Amino acid sequence: MINIVPQIANILVDKKWTMATAESCTGGLVSATLTDFSGSSAWFSGAIVAYSNEVKISLLKVPEITIKEHGAVSEQTVRAMAEGVCKTIGTDIGLSLSGVAGPTGGSPEKPVGTVWMGWHINGATYSKKFLFSGDRMSVKQQSLQKILEQLLEILRQS
């Protein structure tokens, strides 16, 4: 993890891009990790911890119908969250996560450990589903690691 953030920072500084996060299941863990890096104010603009559907709808502009039809833990929702945080905060990049960290809340369709992630990068939106194992903190830590690894991979291809 320690090596990922400086690599992300270097790319963002070189491109003069800024980033924001929209977090649900991680509760601010991603933004806390990013801002632990000295100098992050040059590229990290802010975060919205959108734990409730109401916050997803009101602040991130996720269409209510999206949550009703697909649920908060869905590809459609995280894509809208990533795009919405960019618009709300005014950044080039938006990261989003929504999942079931457990130990309760799972279903056959979305078992505990299911996490959808979204990346909106300079106009393009990506999303991916992951299934993690372990306790609540383990799911959150794995989510943090994976979203940053995937971001770095996307940035390297940009």
Side-chain angles (χ1 to χ4, degrees):
M1 177 64 62
I2 293 169
N3 294 332
I4 293 175
V5 177
Q7 292 176 62
I8 291 168
N10 287 337
I11 294 170
L12 296 180
V13 168
D14 287 348
K15 292 182 179 283
K16 296 183 172 77
W17 286 353
T18 56
M19 178 170 53
T21 61
E23 300 182 60
S24 186
C25 63
T26 49
L29 184 62
V30 176
S31 57
T33 300
L34 293 171
T35 58
D36 280 347
F37 183 76
S38 181
S40 59
S41 61
W43 48 268
F44 187 80
S45 298
I48 296 174
V49 177
Y51 211 66
S52 74
N53 289 341
E54 292 76 19
V55 173
K56 290 174 181 74
I57 293 164
S58 66
L59 293 181
L60 297 174
K61 308 303 181 205
V62 175
E64 190 172 351
I65 191 75
T66 297
I67 293 175
K68 283 183 180 174
E69 290 184 357
H70 304 283
V73 180
S74 67
E75 178 176 22
Q76 295 83 352
T77 296
V78 296
R79 290 175 73 88
M81 288 171 66
E83 293 167 5
V85 78
C86 283
K87 289 177 190 165
T88 300
I89 296 182
T91 59
D92 303 291
I93 298 173
L95 306 182
S96 63
L97 304 96
S98 188
V100 185
T104 62
S107 68
E109 302 82 30
K110 297 174 187 176
V112 169
T114 301
V115 179
W116 271 99
M117 299 180 188
W119 302 264
H120 184 73
I121 301 175
N122 208 26
T125 305
Y126 310 87
S127 55
K128 196 167 183 180
K129 180 173 87 168
F130 297 92
L131 183 59
F132 301 117
S133 61
D135 64 13
R136 185 176 184 82
M137 196 61 212
S138 178
V139 170
K140 291 170 75 167
Q141 288 289 341
Q142 291 171 80
S143 297
L144 165 66
Q145 182 75 29
K146 189 56 74 175
I147 198 163
L148 295 181
E149 287 173 356
Q150 295 287 303
L151 172 63
L152 182 57
E153 185 176 315
I154 295 166
L155 288 173
R156 285 179 172 158
Q157 295 171 5
S158 303

